[in-house]
Every structure is written in C-alpha cells, then in structure tokens.
Amino acid sequence: MRPRREADRIRGRHPRGVDFSVVGPTRTCVGCRERVPATKLVRFVLAGDGVDLRFQPDPSRRLPGRGAHLHPDPACFALAERRRAFGRALRFTGVADTGPLAEHIRSVSMPRGTTDDPAPVPDHDPAR
C-alpha cells in the first residue's frame, strides 16, 4: 500500500467549517429546496394501504418508510404542492391525500396563543 500524499488527507477536525456535533444532520426542504438542520423541518411519510394513501406527518421521526422533510410553513407547503415535489421526494407515482400534512403544518406554524376563532364577546360590561 502506497503512503498517502499530504493533499489526500483531510486536515483539521471540521473540513467544511461546520461543526456537525452541534448542528446535527442536515436535510433539504422539498418546498423551497433549502438545506437546514433536520430539527427545523417536519418529517413526513407516505402511509396507508394501496387505495387510501396519505402524507402522514412524523414529528417523532420514528415512522417506517421513506421520509421527506418540509419547513413548517404554509408557503413551503404550497410551493411543494405546486412543484409536485411530494411524489418525487418519496418516489411515488399516484395521488395521495395531503390533508393530514396540511393540517399539521397549519397547526405547527400558528403562533402560540392564537386561534382561528374570533375573540369571544363578553356577556357583561367590563367597566362595571
């Protein structure tokens, strides 16, 4: 075995300038195609039988099967739908229900303490 040249060796502990022990694994959002740490994305898988297929969100990252990742942002979801990126990311041809994934992203992206319901009107006069 020939000795390695100095140029063949990776120098330093972090050759790309990224500390992977801090950042963790990176994934690509199927909507905007941005690479970010996996903890900032929502993982989803294709679930169901052959007739009733749906995109199932996997916040615990434990469901079996091929997964894809998406920002918890309705804009990224809409972009992924428009580009038809779900099927390509999961290597799937056909039609699947995006409802559970859309509902999960809508609930996650909403700031805490806000709701879609209008503010309740008090029954009494608050000045009294």
Side-chain angles (χ1 to χ4, degrees):
M1 185 171 173
R2 72 176 178 88
R4 294 180 127 186
R5 294 182 319 186
E6 190 64 30
D8 291 341
R9 296 185 187 165
I10 296 174
R11 294 184 206 156
R13 184 167 178 212
H14 307 292
R16 293 184 183 174
V18 177
D19 187 3
F20 286 104
S21 63
V22 174
V23 175
T26 59
R27 300 289 183 259
T28 302
C29 173
V30 297
C32 64
R33 305 291 298 156
E34 183 182 347
R35 290 184 56 86
V36 293
T39 57
K40 296 185 186 250
L41 299 173
V42 174
R43 180 180 187 262
F44 62 95
V45 296
L46 190 64
D49 56 3
V51 177
D52 182 33
L53 293 172
R54 66 189 179 286
F55 295 118
Q56 181 70 37
D58 184 18
S60 64
R61 303 176 192 276
R62 297 286 183 256
L63 290 177
R66 183 175 185 84
H69 295 80
L70 185 69
H71 277 113
D73 182 14
C76 277
F77 178 79
L79 186 61
E81 270 190 320
R82 187 172 58 84
R83 292 179 50 237
R84 291 182 245 148
F86 295 125
R88 281 194 306 275
L90 296 173
R91 297 180 183 168
F92 165 71
T93 57
V95 178
D97 181 23
T98 58
L101 181 60
E103 180 63 30
H104 179 77
I105 287 179
R106 190 178 66 79
S107 67
V108 171
S109 66
M110 216 185 305
R112 290 186 183 251
T114 61
T115 64
D116 289 340
D117 299 330
V121 179
D123 291 335
H124 67 295
D125 185 15
R128 289 185 185 187

